[in-house]
Amino acid sequence: DHLAFADSFTIGTSRSQPRTYFREPLQPPADLERLLSGCPRELAAVIRETGQWNALRCRAWLSAPALRGLMRSLQHCGLWRLLERYREAEAPDECTYILPTNISWQDVDCDHVVSAGQVFNLEDIGLNKLAMLRRCGVQAIRQGKVGVVLLAGGANHRFGYGGEAAPPIGCNRSLPRLQSRKSILQLLCERIVRMGTLCAKAEEQRTPAVKASIPVLVMTSKLTHKRVVEQFEACGHFGLCPQDVVFFEQPVGPLLSEAGRLLPQSLGGEFAQ
């Protein structure tokens, strides 16, 4: 466990720039050659230099295919990048705190940029200002200037609801406990559809009604992507135009322990993320 407490030193690598991490080199174990036997040459070199040889301790219990899977996982981990982030996380941060700014509605117009730390009291808004901002919002939607991002990357493991076989939180029809038995994703998508319909009706007396196109970006993860996409497809995208819905997976990376070691999640080469 030298990784968490040793000071930095320079490691020479085959890259153009040496990497500096510890003042005292990690002491390799006596059985290092046995642990690295069968590893591709580049992977073995990276494991030596980053000190992540403990990830191979389970090889004695692995079949040949499982061992190859473990090596692939180690190659995909980006061990140098992980170690760089670990060292950055160890550096103390100087944090400052600024009290939120209360913004008067008189100072808010169509060009106002909302930023972090601004507070708006809805109770203080006048009816005229509210109507004006709503008109601006409807116009922005009709002009295709508004998009929505839905976050659906979280699984239900923290809630302990139904185990790993249960659908993700956003797709779960039982967890919100609504009489309609609708999932959170369905409720949100139906609100987006309704907003598009209202925006079309707002102008239909002046111009032919055109349904507003509101892009919906759905962020998933490798834990939820398949289930989320399947629910959208099975439910006809909840009334949204399929061309307006885009799915993308959030990146995930392995976690390191306080000692800077990879945290194995299974013997087959999966690491905690």
Side-chain angles (χ1 to χ4, degrees), residues 221-233:
S221 68
K222 72 175 187 178
L223 298 174
T224 66
H225 185 82
K226 184 174 183 292
R227 302 288 290 273
V228 171
V229 173
E230 286 177 349
Q231 186 174 89
F232 268 84
E233 293 176 347

Side-chain angles (χ1 to χ4, degrees), residues 11 28 44 53 59 86-88 92 103 115 141 148 155 169 186 192-193 196-197 205 217 224 239 244 252 257:
I11 300 176
W53 43 71
R59 64 175 299 162
Y86 177 81
R87 298 303 296 173
E88 291 173 359
I103 305 298
S115 59
I141 292 175
V148 178
I169 292 298
Q186 182 174 355
I192 297 170
V193 172
T197 303
Q205 295 180 353
L217 308 179
T224 66
D244 290 340
V252 294
S257 68

Side-chain angles (χ1 to χ4, degrees), residues 45-174:
V46 172
I47 292 175
R48 287 177 186 274
E49 295 167 351
T50 58
Q52 294 293 344
W53 43 71
N54 282 342
L56 293 169
R57 289 283 175 198
C58 63
R59 64 175 299 162
W61 302 287
L62 300 181
S63 63
L67 179 58
R68 289 194 294 270
L70 173 60
M71 292 181 182
R72 282 195 300 269
S73 294
L74 287 170
Q75 289 173 322
H76 295 159
C77 278
L79 295 178
W80 279 123
R81 200 164 53 248
L82 273 178
L83 207 54
E84 288 171 354
R85 290 205 298 263
Y86 177 81
R87 298 303 296 173
E88 291 173 359
E90 274 198 324
D93 293 330
E94 294 184 2
C95 300
T96 57
Y97 176 76
I98 301 176
L99 290 174
T101 305
N102 201 324
I103 305 298
S104 171
W105 287 107
Q106 295 179 353
D107 301 330
V108 178
D109 55 22
C110 297
D111 298 324
H112 182 85
V113 178
V114 179
S115 59
Q118 294 183 353
V119 177
F120 302 86
N121 293 325
L122 187 59
E123 297 176 353
D124 298 336
I125 189 172
L127 294 179
N128 292 335
K129 175 68 75 170
L130 180 61
M132 184 271 289
L133 293 177
R134 282 181 172 172
R135 287 195 300 270
C136 293
V138 168
Q139 183 179 5
I141 292 175
R142 286 181 56 83
Q143 293 174 348
K145 296 180 178 180
V146 176
V148 178
V149 178
L150 302 180
L151 307 183
N156 56 2
H157 300 160
R158 289 179 300 165
F159 295 91
Y161 184 84
E164 295 186 3
I169 292 298
C171 301
N172 200 312
R173 300 179 184 275
S174 302

